[in-house]
Structure formats: structure tokens, C-alpha cells
Amino acid sequence: MSRCQIVPPFLLERIAASHPDRGVSATSRITLQIDARLRGRRESGPAPLAGPMAAVAGDAFSVYTAANGSDLPGSLVRAAGAPASGDPAVDEAYSGVEGSLALFSEVYARSSYDGKGAHVVATVHYEKDYDNAFWDGSQLVFGDGDGKVFRRFTTPVDVLGHEFTHAVTQYTANLTYQGQSGALNESISDAFGSCLKQRLAGRSAAEADWLIGEGIFEPSIQGKALRSMSAPGTAYDDPTLGKDPQVASMDDYVDTVEDNGGVHTNSGIPNKAFYLAATGLGGDSWDGAGRVWYAALTSGIRPDTDFAGFAAATITAAQAVSAQAAEAVGSAWEQVKVTPASGSSGGTGVPAPTGTAGTSVVSVTRSGGVTGVSRSGHVRLGEDPRSERVEALLAQVDLASVGSRDPQPDRFVYHFNIRGEEVVIDEHDLSPNLHELSRLLLEE
Ligand SMILES: [Zn+2]
């Protein structure tokens, strides 16, 4: 598929047009400073216990507020054991982290995300109108949503469990966030996010709704949730958002350069396999399929494991339970047209960019957030009133200096097309000039 088919371009433009009142953020510079710090953290490898965590050492987790800025972790609002704060975002994050720790500890005997009791930091009220949640390699971060399409991202507990699971994956299989291994990384987060939701609600696999992010949309949006694990591609169909683009079978696998190779789109395939395995095994998802998936995740699979490799790992894990369990898991993968294989390699290749625009056009597509929704915008130079500012920004941008990519789970990815030249940049690597350019093009 070409690069603009996650959501049809005319619908993306309608999303952009629905946000005409937003000014250019005054926090770009701060964001860049913070992002530079985050890059420093990543370069130093997994070392979650640092800085603010020392103040509450001995506790399992704590919730901070960024107070609509981008400084992380921000100010401490509620430490583990402290009473409710009265701020719904803080208290939802508190309950979600508490539930996630309990799920992994009580069911899978895992102490925190790193298996060594790491203190969990969650920050709410990140930036203004921020339509996303992510794990930055060290902590959980949640936006408040724009109040038009999205509500606050702490509302659905499975979104919190999804982000927490990205941390677990980082410290176990460390699946590369690109292509099939990236879609697996995404799907494992949805699977355990759903297990968390089902466990807190006391619903069995047969009773569960299998929706991810239920309650995140404002009432005006025509949709149930961000994703459906039982019926990928059916979660929403809305004039502003377009239709849920997830696929449910290898027959429909989407080759795209957006969203780190369609990680939020193709994750529908292993998501459906998890749903089929959970209902096939019966009982509670977190107990049946959850244990099998956790065993596969921690079985020593490689970071570039593809669907076939992971399917084989889950069948091996299920064989340790019973022959019937292995058969149910095998059948689940068969139904989504994934043939389990051992020794298969990555499948993480990225197709070359296609469809370069005309030389007078500057465009951007932003994809990759936890919502799986893309937005696009463009300026036709010389015809658009924004042309002068766009030209001025481009004069200060050295495209050759844009560094190599280091994708983070659920962070935005920007695909610029600047007079026919394609450039891909992660949210945390955007320079202030490119950040302003993207906001101009997206009319934010
Ligand atoms: Zn994710």
C-alpha cells in the first residue's frame, strides 16, 4: 500500500481542518530540551532507577503531573499508599499502575516491569491537548486529549496496561519497534492491556468485550474504542477519524512506511490470534492465553522475531500446558493465516517511500501514536498563505543532518516530503524548526 492509506488523505485533511483554533505551541523549545535528556537516558541503557525515584524509594510507584508542560517527570502528586488526590487523571493512573503491577506479580510472578521491582513513574497532564500516551524507555506518559475527539488517555485502564507492557517487553524480548516485530510489540501490549482490563472487571475470555481504549472518544465520535481484538478493523467508523484500519489476517498485511511499518495496523493479526487462543483455551484470558503469551515473551526470542517465530514460541509454551492447549493456540494462528516457523528471521524491512509529491509541495504525515490514527497536511508553495513561513523554516533546516532513527513505542513519527525529498523523523528527534513546520502543515 502507498504511504497515505492508513486513513484516506481527504479524511486526514478533514481532521486537520477540525482543529483550526490551535496556536503554535510555546513549549517546543522545552520539548526539545527534554527530548535531548530522554535520548541521553536511552543511550545509557536500561537504568530506570534514577532522579525523582530516589525521593520515594521503597515504594512501588508514584504519579506525577507535567501540569500541561513537557518537563518529565514533573511534580509528584500521589505516591503509592497515599490517599486519592481528587484529580481524576492522577487517580486513574494510580489505579492502572497498581493493577498492572498486581497482574504481572500475582499471575506471572514478575516483580515490576524489569523483573527486579523497579519503581514505576507515571506522569499525567503531559503537554496541552496531547492526543497520545507512551512509554519513553523510563516512564509512562499520558496526555489529556484534545477534548474534541479524544478524552484523557488515563480513562481506559487497558491503555495504561498497554503502555506498562511496553516496559515489560523492553526488559524481556526487547522486540524491535519496526515492521512485524514492532507489530508484535504492539500486540503484546494490547494483549496484556486487555488482560488487565478483564481481570479488574472479573470477566472471563468469553465474557470480555475485547475492546482496547473503550471510553477514550468524546461522545460525538462514532466509535466504540481504538481497536477491537476480536474483530480488528471494526472499532470505529467516523467522518473525522475515518475507519479503523486494522487488519485481521496475513492476507491483508499492510506494507507501509508510516507508523514504523504499520505497527498499529498489522498488530490486528496477532491480536486476533490472542483473542482466538484465549477463547479457545477458555476460562480467564490472563490465566490461560496470558500465561502462554508471557512464557513465549520471556522464552529468549530474538528482538527481530516475526509473527511466524512468535507463533512457534507460543505453541512451544502451550505444549508445556497440554497437547490440547497447543492445538488451540496452533489453531488460532492458523485462522489468521500465520504459519508457525522456527528460525525465521525478522521481516522488519521497510519498503521504499513511494508517491513523492510535486516539487512545489511540502507535506507531512504524523503517525505512530497509541491511537493508530494518522494526520496529514501540506502546503503548496507560492499558493498558500503559509508559504512564506514554510520557506523561512526550510531555509534553516539541514535535512542531511537528520540522524539515524531510534523508534520508541507509541511516539509519533513524522514523514516529511519536502519538494519531493522524503525524510522520516521521530517525535523525540524533531528540531524546533521542524516541530514548528509540522504544526504549520497540520494546522495545529
Ligand atoms: Zn503501543
Side-chain angles (χ1 to χ4, degrees):
M1 292 178 74
S2 72
R3 55 188 283 277
C4 288
Q5 289 184 320
I6 284 181
V7 175
F10 73 97
L11 292 181
L12 294 170
E13 284 170 16
R14 288 177 72 166
I15 296 176
S18 72
H19 297 273
D21 55 331
R22 290 205 205 151
V24 172
S25 170
T27 59
S28 306
R29 194 172 303 277
I30 299 168
T31 306
L32 188 81
Q33 290 165 353
I34 296 307
D35 289 344
R37 205 183 78 209
L38 294 177
R39 279 196 299 279
R41 281 195 209 171
R42 288 202 309 279
E43 283 157 10
S44 66
L49 291 169
M53 298 122 187
V56 285
D59 292 334
F61 64 96
S62 46
V63 183
Y64 291 72
T65 178
N68 296 124
S70 54
D71 197 2
L72 291 173
S75 311
L76 177 65
V77 180
R78 190 178 175 195
S85 70
D87 178 334
V90 169
D91 295 331
E92 285 163 354
Y94 185 101
S95 300
V97 173
E98 191 175 45
S100 298
L101 287 167
L103 169 68
F104 280 93
S105 165
E106 293 166 14
V107 184
Y108 312 122
R110 183 178 189 82
S111 177
S112 191
Y113 55 83
D114 66 345
K116 296 176 182 172
H119 184 95
V120 180
V121 172
T123 295
V124 299
H125 303 309
Y126 182 71
E127 292 197 345
K128 281 185 180 154
D129 300 333
Y130 190 71
D131 284 339
N132 202 12
F134 59 90
W135 163 257
D136 76 353
S138 301
Q139 70 154 99
L140 304 162
V141 183
F142 301 89
D144 290 329
D146 55 34
K148 292 172 183 164
V149 175
F150 294 105
R151 305 186 63 198
R152 61 178 180 273
F153 279 69
T154 46
T155 305
V157 75
D158 45 1
V159 168
L160 196 141
H162 175 109
E163 299 308 333
F164 186 93
T165 306
H166 277 311
V168 174
T169 297
Q170 176 182 320
Y171 280 83
T172 53
N174 196 22
L175 292 163
T176 306
Y177 204 67
Q178 179 73 48
Q180 279 198 29
S181 59
L184 265 183
N185 192 323
E186 267 306 304
S187 175
I188 286 161
S189 275
D190 276 353
F192 289 104
S194 188
C195 283
L196 172 65
K197 176 183 174 181
Q198 293 175 38
R199 187 170 188 250
L200 292 174
R203 292 202 183 124
S204 69
E207 294 162 345
D209 59 24
W210 292 97
L211 296 172
I212 298 293
E214 185 186 24
I216 205 164
F217 290 135
E218 292 290 348
S220 61
I221 299 299
Q222 294 166 30
K224 295 174 287 190
L226 294 174
R227 295 184 276 280
S228 166
M229 297 185 75
S230 59
T234 66
Y236 58 85
D237 189 353
D238 180 85
T240 300
L241 283 177
K243 186 179 177 301
D244 175 3
Q246 277 214 308
V247 295
S249 165
M250 281 307 283
D251 287 347
D252 302 314
Y253 189 91
V254 178
D255 283 311
T256 173
V257 296
E258 283 183 24
D259 187 23
N260 297 300
V263 298
H264 292 90
T265 304
N266 294 315
S267 58
I269 298 166
N271 274 4
K272 179 84 182 267
F274 182 79
Y275 155 77
L276 291 168
T279 49
L281 291 167
D284 296 322
S285 301
W286 62 90
D287 190 41
R291 285 185 194 277
V292 170
W293 255 239
Y294 182 76
L297 181 67
T298 54
S299 66
I301 56 171
R302 284 163 34 184
D304 66 350
T305 298
D306 60 7
F307 292 176
F310 191 72
T314 60
I315 291 167
T316 299
Q319 278 163 350
V321 179
S322 69
Q324 292 91 333
E327 196 176 315
V329 171
S331 168
W333 288 107
E334 191 181 336
Q335 290 177 68
V336 299
K337 307 281 183 74
V338 171
T339 305
S342 56
S344 55
S345 60
T348 56
V350 187
T354 56
T356 53
T359 53
S360 66
V361 174
V362 177
S363 68
V364 68
T365 296
R366 184 180 70 195
S367 60
V370 68
T371 67
V373 177
S374 296
R375 292 185 60 190
S376 294
H378 70 271
V379 162
R380 199 168 286 279
L381 296 175
E383 298 173 14
D384 191 290
R386 294 168 291 174
S387 296
E388 194 176 335
R389 186 62 194 144
V390 169
E391 297 264 28
L393 285 168
L394 288 177
Q396 298 170 54
V397 171
D398 177 12
L399 294 178
S401 72
V402 174
S404 61
R405 300 198 52 223
D406 180 18
Q408 289 180 2
D410 297 330
R411 297 213 80 174
F412 291 129
V413 184
Y414 292 83
H415 286 250
F416 290 95
N417 189 307
I418 296 168
R419 300 190 188 97
E421 185 173 354
E422 295 265 358
V423 184
V424 184
I425 307 172
D426 296 316
E427 175 184 12
H428 42 282
D429 290 327
L430 271 190
S431 69
N433 285 334
L434 284 171
H435 198 172
E436 185 181 344
L437 177 64
S438 74
R439 287 178 174 276
L440 265 177
L441 297 172
L442 295 172
E443 300 182 77
E444 287 187 335

